[in-house]
Amino acid sequence: MTAADTLIIHVRFAPDGSVTEIGERPSGLDAQQWFNRLSNKAGSSFQALSGGRGFFRLGTEVVTALKAAALQ
């Protein structure tokens, strides 16, 4: 996977562990629902960071497929 084919989806968590912000979210899902879907389908691509943050590093085709499945 090249850098041009990769998306970084940033996640921000509240102190209680719930998701407050997440990138590339389809309009039909809230932030927590999108995080749950990404975690279930591509959890090994998640990297936790300090300060209540983290990110998914996924291929653009994977994100496109996950978004399409979320809208059905």
Side-chain angles (χ1 to χ4, degrees):
M1 194 165 32
T2 66
D5 298 332
T6 305
L7 283 175
I8 305 295
I9 300 176
H10 295 272
V11 184
R12 186 167 294 280
F13 298 94
D16 67 0
S18 62
V19 177
T20 59
E21 297 176 35
I22 187 167
E24 297 293 325
R25 181 172 53 93
S27 60
L29 300 176
D30 66 29
Q32 186 67 55
Q33 290 171 324
W34 182 229
F35 177 80
N36 292 346
R37 286 186 185 241
L38 290 174
S39 294
N40 289 336
K41 300 295 184 183
S44 63
S45 298
F46 182 74
Q47 183 175 346
L49 302 172
S50 63
R53 302 170 299 126
F55 66 87
F56 289 92
R57 185 185 310 265
L58 298 167
T60 54
E61 69 284 347
V62 173
V63 175
T64 301
L66 289 170
K67 283 181 174 181
L71 297 174
Q72 293 179 3

